[in-house]
């Protein structure tokens, strides 16, 4: 196959991309995105600040621009994200305790109801664990509502849209030896044992010199899959875009039957949140980088 999406589809997987609504008028951007990818994640537009700028007043204008572009072009959509410490609107940042807990529940219901039956996977909870060696939860206003906030989010999400796969999504959880990975593993294991509705784990995979790719990523994916959840690479970018590292990540997903697919976090280097790292598959002029060919070759079984 000659495109990333079609090549991934040979094994029943997708190859996705983060899309920014503000770039949908850029024809170089949209022609690459439409040609190469068959799954879309909104880079910012489905986040809490975008979708509920005032409490109880939902605004899906930017989110729907991304959603409609994706569906009109035949792509599935990953929802990102419903409960997160970051990109909260001011009104939510100022809440605490039971009113914040209720606001989280109301937010999940409001957004999932708007997209009911239309989203393949939802990142229900994003980035809830602390960096470093503690293995602890990240301190946040949501965490301070009680340690059960994550399972409440998942139970709320299951009731709101039983058709969506419900994912927990985080970064620096790709290396099996990291404390954060183990903490996330123990949470998923506990959720599965107690019947908390979780279907998938997203490994963001923002690799750079501070948190480099390690070949034990495949072990991590396998170990989570063995708990009975699907896994996905959800926000892939690699500082310097090493072809061999890109191919290794793709091959790790292909090696795990429960790995649903890979999403890269932007189209061209200039679209990246870390543009100076040149971490993506396309140059600023839209031409393919060496890493693109490495990924396509891996997806084609090479
Ligand atoms: O839209 C405003 C614009 O109106 C304003 O003029 C401009 C000035 O700063 O800011 C614009 O908003 C920015 C937004 O991106 C859209 O470009 C925000 O400041 C900026 O903080 C925001 O950054 C996003 C970041 O999440 C915020 O946490 C990145 O685009 C986005 O790529 C990044 O994505 C996250 C995932 O959601 C979760 N995992 C990590 C990943 C990378 O940080």
């Amino acid at each position: 196959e000659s495109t990333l999406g079609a090549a991934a589809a040979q094994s029943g997987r997708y190859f996705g991309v983060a899309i920014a609504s503000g770039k949908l008028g850029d024809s170089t951007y949209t022609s690459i995105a439409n040609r190469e990818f068959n799954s879309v994640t909104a880079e910012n537009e489905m986040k809490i600040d975008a979708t509920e700028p005032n409490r109880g007043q939902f605004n899906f204008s930017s989110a729907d621009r991304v959603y409609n572009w994706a569906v009109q072009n035949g792509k599935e959509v990953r929802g990102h994200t419903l409960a997160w410490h970051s990109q909260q609107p001011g009104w939510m940042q100022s809440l605490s305790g039971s009113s914040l807990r209720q606001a989280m529940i109301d937010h999940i219901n409001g957004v999932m109801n708007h997209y009911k039956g239309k989203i393949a996977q939802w990142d229900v909870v994003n980035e809830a664990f602390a960096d470093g060696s503690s293995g602890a939860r990240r301190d946040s206003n949501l965490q301070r509502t009680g340690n059960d906030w994550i399972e409440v989010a998942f139970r709320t999400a299951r009731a709101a849209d039983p058709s969506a796969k419900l994912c927990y999504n985080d970064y620096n959880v790709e290396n099996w030896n990291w404390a954060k990975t183990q903490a996330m593993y123990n949470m998923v294991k506990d959720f599965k044992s107690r019947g908390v509705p979780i279907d998938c784990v997203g490994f963001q995979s923002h690799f750079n010199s501070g948190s480099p790719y390690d070949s034990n990523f495949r072990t991590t994916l396998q170990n989570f899959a063995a708990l009975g959840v699907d896994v996905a690479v959800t926000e892939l970018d690699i500082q310097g875009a090493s072809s061999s590292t890109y191919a290794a990540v793709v091959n790790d997903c292909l090696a795990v039957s429960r790995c649903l697919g890979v999403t890269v976090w932007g189209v061209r280097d200039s679209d990246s949140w870390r543009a100076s790292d040149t971490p993506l598959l396309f140059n600023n002029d839209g031409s393919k980088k060496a890493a693109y060919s490495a990924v396509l070759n891996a997806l084609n079984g090479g």
Side-chain angles (χ1 to χ4, degrees):
E1 297 288 347
S2 63
T3 66
L4 303 174
Q10 295 173 111
S11 66
R13 293 180 175 83
Y14 60 81
F15 205 91
V17 66
I19 290 290
S21 59
K23 291 179 178 163
L24 290 174
D26 174 342
S27 62
T28 303
Y29 179 86
T30 52
S31 68
I32 298 169
N34 192 22
R35 183 185 74 222
E36 296 289 343
F37 302 99
N38 53 8
S39 172
V40 161
T41 306
E43 187 174 2
N44 289 295
E45 293 78 356
M46 293 190 188
K47 292 173 178 175
I48 314 173
D49 56 354
T51 51
E52 196 178 355
N54 300 296
R55 188 170 186 177
Q57 292 180 2
F58 289 87
N59 182 339
F60 296 106
S61 54
S62 294
D64 283 350
R65 272 202 291 280
V66 176
Y67 176 84
N68 290 332
W69 181 86
V71 170
Q72 282 159 12
N73 290 295
K75 298 159 197 338
E76 61 177 54
V77 177
R78 293 193 82 261
H80 175 79
T81 179
L82 297 166
W84 191 22
H85 68 277
S86 181
Q87 281 177 282
Q88 292 182 2
W91 65 265
M92 185 178 275
Q93 291 178 42
S94 69
L95 293 182
S96 63
S98 57
S99 56
L100 175 59
R101 176 66 66 90
Q102 190 60 46
M104 178 191 83
I105 292 168
D106 294 345
H107 181 78
I108 293 169
N109 282 324
V111 177
M112 290 190 80
N113 185 51
H114 181 76
Y115 290 111
K116 190 168 184 172
K118 298 175 168 178
I119 300 289
Q121 307 169 34
W122 262 115
D123 289 334
V124 177
V125 173
N126 197 41
E127 303 176 359
F129 286 97
D131 289 308
S133 59
S134 71
R137 294 283 183 86
R138 175 196 297 273
D139 181 49
S140 72
N141 60 347
L142 289 166
Q143 180 63 30
R144 290 192 291 272
T145 68
N147 205 51
D148 63 344
W149 72 278
I150 299 179
E151 62 189 88
V152 168
F154 276 92
R155 292 188 200 279
T156 303
R158 178 67 93 227
D161 184 357
S163 73
K165 288 191 179 186
L166 306 181
C167 302
Y168 176 81
N169 190 55
D170 215 328
Y171 66 89
N172 285 357
V173 289
E174 297 80 16
N175 187 321
W176 182 244
N177 297 324
W178 287 338
K180 195 171 171 181
T181 310
Q182 294 301 314
M184 182 172 80
Y185 179 83
N186 289 331
M187 179 188 75
V188 174
K189 189 177 179 187
D190 171 57
F191 281 10
K192 293 301 287 184
S193 74
R194 291 191 294 113
V196 177
I198 183 170
D199 304 308
C200 39
V201 175
F203 298 81
Q204 293 184 11
S205 306
H206 295 291
F207 294 117
N208 55 56
S209 52
S211 50
Y213 170 81
D214 186 289
S215 60
N216 70 23
F217 186 28
R218 187 176 302 192
T219 301
T220 303
L221 294 174
Q222 285 166 338
N223 286 345
F224 276 83
L227 292 176
V229 289
D230 293 330
V231 295
V233 176
T234 53
E235 304 181 11
L236 178 61
D237 50 27
I238 301 170
Q239 184 179 43
S242 153
S243 293
S244 58
T245 307
Y246 259 109
V249 173
V250 169
N251 282 321
D252 290 341
C253 180
L254 294 176
V256 178
S257 58
R258 293 198 75 150
C259 184
L260 301 169
V262 174
T263 298
V264 289
W265 206 240
V267 179
R268 302 157 298 194
D269 286 334
S270 49
D271 302 314
S272 171
W273 69 300
R274 284 179 165 170
S276 62
D277 285 351
T278 61
L280 294 174
L281 302 178
F282 292 88
N283 292 303
N284 298 353
D285 66 1
S287 57
K288 296 167 179 172
K289 296 168 64 175
Y292 170 92
S293 306
V295 167
L296 184 65
N297 186 49
L299 291 169
N300 279 325

